[in-house]
Amino acid sequence: MKNIADIAKLAGVAKSTVSRYLNGGSVSEVTKRKIEDIITETGYMPNAFAQSLKAKKTNIIGIIVPQLDSYETSQTLIGIDQQLRALNYLMLVSHTNRNLEREIENIYTLAKQKVAGIILLATQITDRHVQAISEIDIPVLLVGQHHDEIHSLVHHDEEAGYAMGKYIIEQGHRRLAFLGVSETDIAVGVKRKEGFKRATRDVNNCEVRYFETKANMREVAANALDIFNDFFPSALICATDEIAIGAVKAAYTKGMHVPANLSVTGFGGYEITAMMHPALTTVQFYFIEAGKKAADHIVQLVNGQDIPMLTYSNFEIIARESVDKRFAPS
Amino acid sequence: MKNIADIAKLAGVAKSTVSRYLNGGSVSEVTKRKIEDIITETGYMPNAFAQSLKAKKTNIIGIIVPQLDSYETSQTLIGIDQQLRALNYLMLVSHTNRNLEREIENIYTLAKQKVAGIILLATQITDRHVQAISEIDIPVLLVGQHHDEIHSLVHHDEEAGYAMGKYIIEQGHRRLAFLGVSETDIAVGVKRKEGFKRATRDVNNCEVRYFETKANMREVAANALDIFNDFFPSALICATDEIAIGAVKAAYTKGMHVPANLSVTGFGGYEITAMMHPALTTVQFYFIEAGKKAADHIVQLVNGQDIPMLTYSNFEIIARESVDKRFAPS
DNA sequence: CTGAAAGCGCTTACAG
DNA sequence: CTGAAAGCGCTTACAG
């Protein structure tokens, strides 16, 4: 492997001239061509460490993900990667397997690797997160959760919950079960539920009950429909598509028909929800767009530019087959 | 941010002593403690570039993935990340969006970043891949596809195809449609089909027809069942779970019942296949295991150790509800 | 437009 | 066990 000194010697110029050529500094046409020839000839590639060591910055953005095998994560990463590439950055991905301890650890590890910035696909922000983030002195962007002191990009969970509530009410349903997740997850466990509450609380003759489950389709499929006891909702609003998929499975297993016996909805807009039978009514979030925006934001932060502390990503209700129209009592 | 010189000064020793402490060289107990104190006090972290520049190696493994949003990729990455972490390596992920051009480009980019090794989640290996890989002088491991000149880790696609063929025949099916993908994908498009052929070709009174589709559930759902024309198979063997999911949807859309009117099978063992209605009979590959093994292998290659050029990962047939038992003509 | 020199923050023989 | 010095491969003022 050749280094810049070799190239300089072969081209008959100084190292600094080669460096200038590489970085778009002013170099005469003749010199430029000479260097160019040598570089293509030798296949020379500058050593990224030496560059980074000297320039004190890297073109790597670290991404911390709690869960690699979810549609949401994949789509968000695709968006991030795409925009990062356009901005000439690379993506160092670190998987935490939903382990908060490991999340904190990774913040320090990435800092040590001198990444230019960090995007944290967050599920829960603890004080230790905040402390780690403040210690490392590297820009950090939260995606999916919001914290007052850290730049955040979130989906419009509360509004989405509200829209879903409105929709279900409009379809005439009045006995509703909301199947949510732990409130430690503010975005999914609290915001979506709150929005739903806001949409349904002033509706006449409407009974809503709230339940909690693990956000894992297998467990939901196995247990979800047993938690209602003697309550028989006409519609089941699930806080994620995964939960909804499990719930539909559970319904079939019990011999119930969706939506004839039970309407089911999700949140997310996972591709698979269009393939289900019946196709799932859900909230479409725009993960790829959010990922791109996240990449834009972290790079702006890296460059010292100013961005809003909190940004919302859009959503849309996708009405499909899993919700029945009922005649509501007036 | 402090550097090694600051630490040395504060501890009253030479930089080389601090370096030795950091790298586990021989340092007296007293000195060790002094340095330790200063480091925890200052929160000092060595600059990874300077380390890498000098030591001429990094702890980063580059991963090139064609498609981030597939169960297979996610699971494989989880396995890779997990084992890489155990071996003290980090994972630089680069997404190519199934663009071969970008795949080649990424090989060079990662080489420039001086990653210690590269894992390529491959779909197709062209001459240009081979050339790029030979040029960069960094160990490369192929996962999912096999090439004679490059270390490869593959699923046992041919055997899996064979096992699926045997299984379908055992269930009494004799009018079979195999819905495969382009032969440019050797593992999925050629090997699985060949295995299936081997299992079915000597069976009496058995008619098998081969079709090709895009490996995308939406397209399959829209078109898959129209390509048979006047051929009415009792079983449809799909080369991937995605295709099978699309095919089941297509069947429902046409008012057919699975498996009563048409049995359907997949390959992969995606989590969602257990949640479908009916649950899908498929081949389970062990992606996480494969990922871990891939991580082991690339690190062994990085360390100059010898590993076999070709390694197979296991599989298993998962018999579920999407295949009917028929009485075969004898 | 070009070159010589210093320095980024480490590690590694080498000498003691 | 410890330290002084050289060097990894770049970039960046600075001077010309």
Side-chain angles (χ1 to χ4, degrees):
Chain A
M1 206 74 226
K2 305 223 170 293
N3 63 26
I4 199 171
D6 299 326
I7 304 302
K9 195 175 299 171
L10 287 168
V13 298
K15 289 191 302 177
S16 35
T17 305
V18 177
S19 177
R20 237 176 273 118
Y21 165 83
L22 255 19
N23 296 291
S26 52
V27 181
S28 76
E29 271 307 317
V30 197
T31 324
K32 200 175 284 184
R33 227 180 318 270
K34 266 194 302 187
I35 299 177
E36 215 161 58
D37 285 350
I38 300 293
I39 286 182
T40 52
E41 202 172 290
T42 56
Y44 166 70
M45 292 182 198
N47 179 315
F49 298 128
Q51 290 182 316
S52 302
L53 175 58
K54 189 61 195 169
K56 300 225 172 213
K57 57 172 190 190
T58 66
N59 60 341
I60 296 181
I61 300 290
I63 324 281
I64 300 178
V65 304
Q67 195 188 1
L68 225 24
D69 56 343
S70 90
Y71 183 79
E72 171 164 358
T73 302
S74 309
Q75 298 292 307
T76 309
L77 284 181
I78 288 175
I80 292 175
D81 179 88
Q82 189 175 328
Q83 190 60 15
L84 243 30
R85 175 186 312 276
L87 298 168
N88 250 303
Y89 282 80
L90 258 32
M91 175 170 104
L92 192 66
V93 175
S94 190
H95 179 237
T96 63
N97 206 13
R98 286 187 174 145
N99 179 330
L100 289 183
E101 213 45 53
R102 190 172 283 178
E103 223 161 277
I104 316 255
E105 199 180 281
N106 275 326
I107 293 173
Y108 291 111
T109 309
L110 290 174
K112 188 182 152 187
Q113 288 292 327
K114 293 272 187 292
V115 296
I118 295 177
I119 296 176
L120 176 56
L121 269 46
T123 54
Q124 188 185 342
I125 303 300
T126 66
D127 290 347
R128 308 225 353 259
H129 284 79
V130 179
Q131 194 200 331
I133 289 169
S134 74
E135 268 182 31
I136 58 170
D137 197 38
I138 288 175
V140 173
L141 176 71
L142 257 35
V143 173
Q145 299 284 350
H146 163 234
H147 190 283
D148 281 338
E149 300 162 37
I150 312 171
H151 287 91
S152 310
L153 176 77
V154 297
H155 299 286
H156 229 321
D157 295 288
E158 206 273 347
E159 287 289 343
Y162 180 80
M164 184 55 89
K166 276 286 179 220
Y167 176 78
I168 280 293
I169 293 297
E170 274 167 20
Q171 301 306 302
H173 291 273
R174 291 298 182 272
R175 292 181 70 80
L176 314 176
F178 186 96
L179 191 50
V181 302
S182 161
E183 297 209 339
T184 54
D185 184 332
I186 304 292
V188 179
V190 177
K191 293 292 184 187
R192 292 181 190 174
K193 184 165 66 181
E194 278 180 359
F196 188 76
K197 255 186 196 150
R198 179 160 68 86
T200 54
R201 70 181 156 210
D202 296 330
V203 177
N204 283 333
N205 297 314
C206 183
E207 180 167 7
V208 191
R209 296 210 194 159
Y210 294 88
F211 301 92
E212 199 178 302
T213 180
K214 296 268 178 245
N216 169 301
M217 55 175 103
R218 275 175 199 273
E219 289 192 39
V220 175
N223 310 317
L225 261 33
D226 300 328
I227 61 176
F228 300 137
N229 292 318
D230 51 344
F231 180 63
F232 298 102
S234 73
L236 177 59
I237 290 78
C238 303
T240 72
D241 283 348
E242 269 213 63
I243 295 175
I245 290 169
V248 168
K249 177 73 180 179
Y252 274 124
T253 305
K254 284 208 184 309
M256 295 171 73
H257 190 264
V258 177
N261 308 123
L262 180 68
S263 291
V264 176
T265 68
F267 282 83
Y270 290 15
E271 186 182 17
I272 191 77
T273 59
M275 293 295 125
M276 291 168 61
H277 180 73
L280 190 73
T281 291
T282 187
V283 172
Q284 176 81 249
F285 291 120
Y286 297 104
F287 300 117
I288 294 186
E289 287 310 312
K292 286 194 203 173
K293 203 180 285 183
D296 274 334
H297 279 192
I298 194 67
V299 170
Q300 286 177 289
L301 287 175
V302 165
N303 293 333
Q305 289 169 263
D306 215 33
I307 63 164
M309 285 302 285
L310 178 59
T311 309
Y312 285 103
S313 183
N314 283 328
F315 71 92
E316 187 183 349
I317 297 268
I318 310 279
R320 290 197 284 228
E321 308 153 9
S322 67
V323 175
D324 239 10
K325 183 103 183 158
R326 297 285 172 106
F327 292 101
S330 57
Chain B
M1 207 72 227
K2 306 223 168 291
N3 63 27
I4 198 170
D6 300 325
I7 303 303
K9 197 175 298 169
L10 287 168
V13 298
K15 289 190 303 176
S16 34
T17 306
V18 178
S19 176
R20 239 176 273 118
Y21 165 82
L22 255 19
N23 296 291
S26 52
V27 182
S28 76
E29 272 306 317
V30 198
T31 324
K32 199 175 285 184
R33 224 176 326 264
K34 269 193 301 188
I35 299 178
E36 216 162 56
D37 286 348
I38 301 292
I39 286 182
T40 52
E41 203 172 290
T42 55
Y44 166 70
M45 292 182 198
N47 180 315
F49 298 128
Q51 291 181 314
S52 301
L53 175 57
K54 190 60 195 174
K56 299 223 174 214
K57 59 172 187 189
T58 66
N59 60 341
I60 297 180
I61 300 290
I63 323 281
I64 300 178
V65 305
Q67 194 187 3
L68 227 22
D69 57 343
S70 91
Y71 182 80
E72 170 163 357
T73 302
S74 308
Q75 298 292 308
T76 309
L77 283 181
I78 287 174
I80 291 175
D81 179 86
Q82 188 175 327
Q83 189 62 14
L84 241 31
R85 173 185 313 276
L87 298 168
N88 250 301
Y89 281 81
L90 257 33
M91 175 169 105
L92 192 69
V93 176
S94 190
H95 179 237
T96 63
N97 205 14
R98 285 185 174 147
N99 180 331
L100 288 183
E101 213 44 53
R102 189 173 284 177
E103 222 161 276
I104 315 254
E105 202 179 280
N106 275 326
I107 292 174
Y108 290 111
T109 310
L110 290 174
K112 188 183 150 187
Q113 289 292 327
K114 292 274 187 292
V115 296
I118 295 177
I119 296 176
L120 176 56
L121 269 47
T123 54
Q124 189 184 341
I125 304 300
T126 67
D127 289 347
R128 308 225 353 258
H129 283 80
V130 179
Q131 194 200 331
I133 289 170
S134 74
E135 267 182 31
I136 58 171
D137 198 37
I138 288 175
V140 173
L141 176 71
L142 257 36
V143 173
Q145 299 282 350
H146 163 234
H147 190 285
D148 281 338
E149 299 162 39
I150 312 171
H151 287 90
S152 310
L153 175 76
V154 297
H155 299 286
H156 228 323
D157 295 289
E158 206 274 349
E159 287 289 342
Y162 181 79
M164 183 56 88
K166 276 287 180 217
Y167 175 78
I168 281 292
I169 293 297
E170 275 166 19
Q171 299 307 303
H173 291 272
R174 292 296 182 273
R175 289 182 72 80
L176 313 177
F178 186 95
L179 191 50
V181 302
S182 160
E183 297 209 340
T184 54
D185 183 334
I186 303 293
V188 179
V190 177
K191 294 292 183 187
R192 293 181 190 173
K193 182 165 68 180
E194 278 180 359
F196 187 78
K197 254 186 197 150
R198 179 161 66 87
T200 54
R201 72 181 154 209
D202 296 331
V203 176
N204 283 335
N205 298 314
C206 182
E207 180 165 7
V208 191
R209 296 212 193 158
Y210 293 88
F211 302 92
E212 199 176 303
T213 180
K214 296 270 177 240
N216 170 300
M217 54 176 104
R218 275 175 198 272
E219 288 193 41
V220 175
N223 311 317
L225 261 34
D226 301 327
I227 61 176
F228 299 138
N229 290 319
D230 51 343
F231 180 62
F232 298 102
S234 73
L236 177 59
I237 289 78
C238 303
T240 72
D241 283 348
E242 270 212 63
I243 295 175
I245 290 169
V248 169
K249 178 74 178 177
Y252 274 124
T253 305
K254 283 206 183 314
M256 295 172 73
H257 190 265
V258 176
N261 307 125
L262 180 68
S263 292
V264 176
T265 68
F267 281 82
Y270 289 16
E271 185 182 17
I272 192 75
T273 58
M275 294 294 124
M276 293 168 62
H277 180 74
L280 189 73
T281 291
T282 186
V283 171
Q284 176 80 249
F285 290 120
Y286 297 103
F287 299 117
I288 295 187
E289 287 311 311
K292 287 193 202 173
K293 202 179 285 183
D296 274 334
H297 278 191
I298 194 67
V299 170
Q300 287 179 287
L301 286 174
V302 165
N303 293 332
Q305 290 170 263
D306 215 33
I307 63 165
M309 287 301 285
L310 178 58
T311 309
Y312 285 103
S313 182
N314 282 329
F315 72 91
E316 186 184 350
I317 296 269
I318 310 279
R320 290 196 285 228
E321 307 154 9
S322 66
V323 175
D324 238 11
K325 184 100 183 160
R326 298 286 172 104
F327 292 100
S330 57

